[in-house]
Amino acid sequence: MSGQGFLSSKPGVAEYGWTSQWRWPFLSLAVGVIAGLGAIVFEESLRWTLRHCLYLATGFSEPGLGASCETVAALATTRSLLFLVVPALGGLASGLIVFLVAPEAEGHGTDAMIEAFHQRGGLIRKRVPVVKILASAITIGSGGSAGKEGPIAQIGAGFGSFLATALRLRPRDRRILMLAGAAGGIGSIFHAPLGAALFAPEVLYRGTEFEFEAIMPCIVS
C-alpha cells in the first residue's frame, strides 16, 4: 500500500512525512492497547457479574486451581432454584439491551466481525463494543451457555473500526485495523498473542486462506 492517500482526508497529516512502514506499526500498537484495555474491562465486568448474580445469589463457587476431589464433590451438591431463574433473567436482560441499543451485537460475535469485514467495509458502530461487553458479561455472568472468544473478537474489532473511522481511513485500511483489534482483544483475554494474530486473518474464510496484509498488524497488536 502506498503512503499517499492513506490519511489524505485528514488535512495536515502528510506534512509529518509518514510512510506506510511507520503508520501500520503505530496504528497497530494503538489499536492493540485499546483492544487490550477493552479485554480488561470485559474480564472485570464478567468477574463482577459472576460474583453478584450467580455466586452470592446461589451459594455456588467454582473450585480453585488444584482443588481437592472432596472440595469439587462438595460444590457439586449445591442446589438452588435460582440456577434456573438467574440465567433466564440474565438472558432476558442481555437480549433487551442488544435489541434496543445495538441489534448487530447479537449472537456469537465472530460471525458479526466476519460480516462487517466482507459486507460493510469493516465498519462497526462505536456503540457495539460497549454493548457487547455489557450484554456478554450479563449472559455469561448469569450462567448462560456462552464463551468469551466470540464477544472479545467483536469487541476488539469494534475498537479497531472505531479508530480507523476516527482517522478517516479508507475501507480497505479499516478492515485491516479491525482485524488487528480483534487479534489484540483475543490475545489479551486468552494470553495467546501469536495464536490470536493467526486466528483473526484466517477465520474470515472457509478454506485455508489468510488475509495476508493483516498478519503483521495483528502480530503487532
Side-chain angles (χ1 to χ4, degrees), residues 108-130:
H108 183 264
T110 306
D111 293 340
M113 181 193 76
I114 296 172
E115 180 184 357
F117 181 90
H118 289 295
Q119 300 181 16
R120 300 180 182 177
L123 184 62
I124 299 175
R125 290 197 295 171
K126 58 185 178 182
R127 70 179 66 180
V128 170
V130 177

Side-chain angles (χ1 to χ4, degrees), residues 137-180:
I138 293 174
T139 299
I140 303 172
S142 61
S145 179
K148 295 185 285 188
E149 174 192 319
I152 194 57
Q154 190 176 15
I155 291 166
F159 285 130
S161 176
F162 170 75
L163 179 60
T165 301
L167 295 175
R168 303 179 187 177
L169 304 187
R170 297 174 298 178
R172 178 60 184 167
D173 301 325
R174 184 169 56 225
R175 289 189 182 101
I176 295 176
L177 210 57
M178 185 195 78
L179 295 180

Side-chain angles (χ1 to χ4, degrees), residues 29-201:
L29 179 63
V31 78
V33 171
I34 297 171
L37 292 174
I40 292 173
V41 173
F42 176 44
E43 188 73 35
E44 291 302 316
S45 300
L46 177 57
R47 185 176 290 111
W48 187 93
T49 309
L50 277 169
R51 174 173 174 79
H52 290 85
C53 293
L54 196 64
Y55 296 166
L56 294 181
T58 64
F60 173 79
S61 61
E62 292 180 316
L65 184 65
S68 64
C69 296
E70 292 76 13
T71 301
V72 176
L75 291 173
T77 62
T78 304
R79 300 287 188 270
S80 176
L81 289 176
L82 291 177
F83 283 131
L84 301 176
V85 176
V86 172
L89 292 177
L92 178 61
S94 175
L96 286 174
I97 292 171
V98 170
F99 178 77
L100 295 174
V101 183
E104 62 267 44
E106 68 176 350
H108 183 264
T110 306
D111 293 340
M113 181 193 76
I114 296 172
E115 180 184 357
F117 181 90
H118 289 295
Q119 300 181 16
R120 300 180 182 177
L123 184 62
I124 299 175
R125 290 197 295 171
K126 58 185 178 182
R127 70 179 66 180
V128 170
V130 177
V131 172
K132 194 66 176 181
I133 289 174
L134 181 60
S136 298
I138 293 174
T139 299
I140 303 172
S142 61
S145 179
K148 295 185 285 188
E149 174 192 319
I152 194 57
Q154 190 176 15
I155 291 166
F159 285 130
S161 176
F162 170 75
L163 179 60
T165 301
L167 295 175
R168 303 179 187 177
L169 304 187
R170 297 174 298 178
R172 178 60 184 167
D173 301 325
R174 184 169 56 225
R175 289 189 182 101
I176 295 176
L177 210 57
M178 185 195 78
L179 295 180
I186 295 171
S188 297
I189 209 163
F190 291 111
H191 300 176
L194 183 58
L198 297 178
F199 170 80

